[in-house]
Amino acid sequence: SFLQKMAVFADETKLVAFKEAPYAQTVDGRLLYRYNLTFRKEAILPFYEKLVAEANANKDLTSWTQFNDPGMVEYLKSREFSELYDYYNANFTYSLWVDPQGYPAVVQTDTRIIPPDTAVALKEKQVNIAWRLVIDAINRSVNIAAPSDAKPVEQLIEETQKNIDYTQR
């Protein structure tokens, strides 16, 4: 239910916008529609404030540290955040392709990393990283077999909690 509220808050604050007009594109023989997206800087603080209010009203979320950091609101209002946002906005592309029925088909992020001038060996060099998730064969059967040494998630949580408790002594 919290994820649904996040989507509602994103819509209310107009958090996500088109970076450019959507367009049709053929990808691996499939006709898809590409949406290059951006997060609107002026919507991030109102979106975060709505998340905090919802988390504070929901007893299951009050322990989530990302929603009870008193310095986050000030940071989101700061020049440092504004500069970091501008850097990310200029160097990251978030793309979503959908099929003609509106189902997600591809999700991709493209990142350009520009080393600082202090990295002399990397002067005038860049790194470009693309991460892509292709979604196809929707509603087809998938057979998944658990590995023989698989552990239940409850056991992993219990083991993790023991490690956390030990490190806090």
Side-chain angles (χ1 to χ4, degrees):
S1 68
F2 186 65
L3 288 175
Q4 288 176 325
K5 290 196 178 193
M6 287 177 69
V8 168
F9 298 155
D11 188 50
E12 288 173 354
T13 59
K14 298 183 179 5
L15 179 65
V16 180
F18 295 131
K19 203 167 197 175
E20 58 191 38
Y23 55 93
Q25 186 176 31
T26 301
V27 178
D28 297 328
R30 297 165 71 189
L31 172 63
L32 302 175
Y33 299 94
R34 182 175 179 160
Y35 299 86
N36 291 327
L37 306 172
T38 187
F39 295 93
R40 295 177 49 249
K41 185 191 306 189
E42 62 276 8
I44 293 172
L45 178 60
F47 173 73
Y48 178 75
E49 290 173 330
K50 286 179 177 276
L51 292 180
V52 169
E54 180 63 28
N56 288 335
N58 184 329
K59 65 179 175 58
D60 295 328
L61 302 175
T62 54
S63 65
W64 287 21
T65 57
Q66 61 267 41
F67 298 121
N68 57 23
D69 178 356
M72 182 57 82
V73 170
E74 289 308 311
Y75 173 69
L76 291 174
K77 293 177 181 178
S78 73
R79 182 177 56 83
E80 290 81 8
F81 169 75
S82 182
E83 289 173 356
L84 183 63
Y85 170 89
D86 292 342
Y87 174 82
Y88 277 104
N89 196 47
N91 293 291
F92 282 69
T93 301
Y94 305 95
S95 302
L96 170 67
W97 286 262
V98 298
D99 66 17
Q101 291 75 39
Y103 291 107
V106 180
V107 178
Q108 180 170 318
T109 61
D110 294 289
T111 307
R112 180 176 67 162
I113 300 172
I114 305 167
D117 293 338
T118 55
V120 178
L122 300 174
K123 186 175 179 159
E124 297 182 21
K125 296 191 176 162
Q126 297 181 14
V127 176
N128 293 298
I129 301 170
W131 175 88
R132 177 181 262 206
L133 171 67
V134 177
I135 305 165
D136 61 4
I138 296 172
N139 293 330
R140 291 193 188 147
S141 295
V142 177
N143 295 320
I144 301 173
S148 60
D149 61 345
K151 297 179 182 180
V153 70
E154 294 82 8
Q155 181 182 348
L156 296 173
I157 291 170
E158 182 180 314
E159 291 171 4
T160 302
Q161 191 61 47
K162 285 179 185 175
N163 288 331
I164 292 171
D165 292 343
Y166 177 75
T167 61
Q168 294 179 357
R169 288 182 201 161

